[in-house]
Amino acid sequence: MRSLNRLSPDWLLQLLGGRAACAYCSDEVRRQPVQCDKNAGRHDPRSQHSADLKPLVRSPQENVLGWSRSIAPLSDLQDRNPSLNGLEDRSFGRFSRAWSHIRQHGLLEPIKLVHRHGLGASLGFVQRNARYILADRLARKWDRQHGVDTAGSIQLGALTVVGPHRAKGNEAVCTSPRTFDFIMKSLPRDLHDHTFIDIGSGKSRTLLLASRYPFAEIIGVEFARELVDIARSNIERFRDPLQTCRALSVVEADAAAYDFPEAPLVVYFYNPFSKDVFDIVLKNLVSSLERRPRDCFIVYGSSSHRAIDWARPAIRDTGIFRELSVPPMPGFLDAIRTIDYAVFQVQPAA
């Protein structure tokens, strides 16, 4: 069976959420001419995508199309964004976009397309979208339980950002609770003197999850002003009887210009930006540790772009970090995708 990301993705793009699989890195991209720059760890909208995203051919079966329009009220079952912050959230509208496509092309179109592209590939794509929808629903349930707004896949294009690296940033997607708790099992239990720093903290989900552990302080670094405002509001409103650390803050800054505090650190990255920006941040961290030696852990997670493949060797090549042995990440249902991750600890000076 051919891999889904080698197929012409036009029908899947329209049928399930207006997205398709990148032929280079298997990540989802929006329907526009783009190319995945695998080495840079991001999709480059300035050049042609490797997979030809062709326009769909309208189904000739007008009688079926007419029947589908006769039940048009079902298309009103839109997934509307309940947030009042006006952000572009790509988590919404998958069902409505799928139904709109079926109405436009006829009810037999999905059957024809499955026959054309293969059952295995089609079911795989449907499974990934179903997992995405389930994980998003669980994220919003978590938000309701804790009185916050952290869920979604927030696009950066219309946001007000600090610094020159807007085009290098990836969409803001939160780490799931079960994923974060699993990662924390790879760290020492006693972190009471460590400061937890989330680079690219988005709407603060990871900060809030970290607050259930005994850190001395928790800091988010975020370059999008709208996300900073939401994160600070979340920190004020967060309700959880398991919260242990209450010294939470968010710094509005370009991560490449951020000065790390002179305290023992746990630095967390969930693929926030491309490799060139990561290299700058990593260099700044190493310089900080050389000026003021102290304990430091790096956690790097990636569920897209295969960013772990360039982040892991970059951290090793600093010569001051050793990689810890960690178990593979399970496929938690509250995670949009399964994260590949690595944990490093600074080596004591000889």
Side-chain angles (χ1 to χ4, degrees):
M1 184 65 66
R2 290 180 297 171
S3 172
L4 174 63
N5 60 339
R6 295 297 175 188
L7 301 176
S8 175
D10 53 340
W11 71 277
L12 293 172
L13 182 64
Q14 288 292 331
L15 185 59
L16 284 171
R19 302 171 78 85
C22 171
Y24 280 2
C25 71
S26 300
D27 189 34
E28 288 184 333
V29 295
R30 297 179 62 183
R31 188 180 189 276
Q32 56 182 330
V34 296
Q35 177 174 346
C36 171
D37 183 352
K38 181 170 60 175
N39 293 326
R42 63 181 295 274
H43 295 290
D44 185 355
R46 295 168 293 185
S47 53
Q48 186 66 29
H49 193 276
S50 58
D52 183 15
L53 303 185
K54 298 174 293 186
L56 288 167
V57 177
R58 181 179 176 86
S59 171
Q61 298 174 329
E62 293 295 332
N63 57 332
V64 178
L65 176 60
W67 183 85
S68 67
R69 283 176 174 166
S70 72
I71 53 174
L74 285 178
S75 66
D76 292 334
L77 297 178
Q78 302 263 349
D79 288 319
R80 293 184 173 85
N81 188 343
S83 175
L84 299 179
N85 51 46
L87 303 181
E88 180 187 356
D89 185 351
R90 293 295 298 174
S91 297
F92 290 93
R94 290 178 176 240
F95 282 125
S96 60
R97 289 192 293 266
W99 179 246
S100 295
H101 173 75
I102 293 174
R103 286 185 57 212
Q104 181 181 1
H105 295 275
L107 293 177
L108 295 183
E109 183 73 358
I111 298 174
K112 290 168 56 181
L113 293 169
V114 169
H115 178 74
R116 183 189 310 167
H117 297 287
L119 181 61
S122 303
L123 290 177
F125 192 86
V126 171
Q127 182 182 33
R128 287 194 295 275
N129 275 268
R131 174 178 178 175
Y132 188 106
I133 292 169
L134 174 60
D136 183 67
R137 297 297 184 269
L138 291 175
R140 297 181 192 283
K141 179 180 179 181
W142 190 92
D143 280 359
R144 291 192 298 271
Q145 290 173 340
H146 296 89
V148 295
D149 169 22
T150 68
S153 298
I154 309 304
Q155 309 304 300
L156 304 180
L159 302 185
T160 305
V161 303
V162 176
H165 296 124
R166 174 196 297 275
K168 306 293 185 178
N170 295 323
E171 66 178 357
V173 179
C174 61
T175 302
S176 80
R178 297 187 67 183
T179 296
F180 185 81
D181 288 341
F182 188 86
I183 290 174
M184 287 299 297
K185 293 178 182 178
S186 300
L187 296 176
R189 289 182 176 274
D190 186 8
L191 295 168
H192 72 278
D193 60 344
H194 285 62
T195 294
F196 180 94
I197 301 179
D198 182 15
I199 302 294
S201 54
K203 296 201 291 183
S204 77
R205 165 71 68 83
T206 302
L207 304 180
L208 302 180
L209 294 173
S211 74
R212 302 188 299 179
Y213 292 85
F215 290 107
E217 186 178 3
I218 297 171
I219 301 172
V221 180
E222 175 56 53
F223 76 161
R225 181 169 303 165
E226 293 84 350
L227 300 183
V228 170
D229 291 342
I230 294 171
R232 289 171 175 167
S233 176
N234 286 335
I235 290 171
E236 293 179 0
R237 294 186 285 121
F238 183 57
R239 303 186 303 271
D240 190 335
L242 299 179
Q243 185 174 12
T244 301
C245 177
R246 299 187 181 278
L248 281 73
S249 62
V250 180
V251 177
E252 183 179 349
D254 185 333
Y258 177 68
D259 291 327
F260 289 91
E262 295 186 354
L265 302 173
V266 175
V267 185
Y268 185 89
F269 299 87
Y270 182 20
N271 188 23
F273 32 62
S274 59
K275 183 179 184 302
D276 47 353
V277 178
F278 177 77
D279 288 342
I280 297 173
V281 176
L282 181 61
K283 181 180 179 180
N284 293 342
L285 175 60
V286 171
S287 296
S288 176
L289 294 173
E290 290 174 345
R291 290 193 304 270
R292 202 282 193 185
R294 58 203 187 275
D295 193 27
C296 178
F297 294 88
I298 293 178
V299 178
Y300 195 98
S302 169
S303 60
S304 60
H305 308 108
R306 294 303 307 167
I308 191 71
D309 292 341
W310 50 255
R312 176 182 274 123
I315 299 170
R316 288 174 179 165
D317 290 347
T318 64
I320 68 170
F321 286 97
R322 65 181 179 91
E323 185 171 1
L324 305 183
S325 177
V326 297
M329 180 69 65
F332 294 123
L333 291 179
D334 66 346
I336 291 173
R337 307 180 191 95
T338 300
I339 291 179
D340 289 330
Y341 74 108
V343 179
F344 296 82
Q345 184 177 17
V346 70
Q347 302 180 90

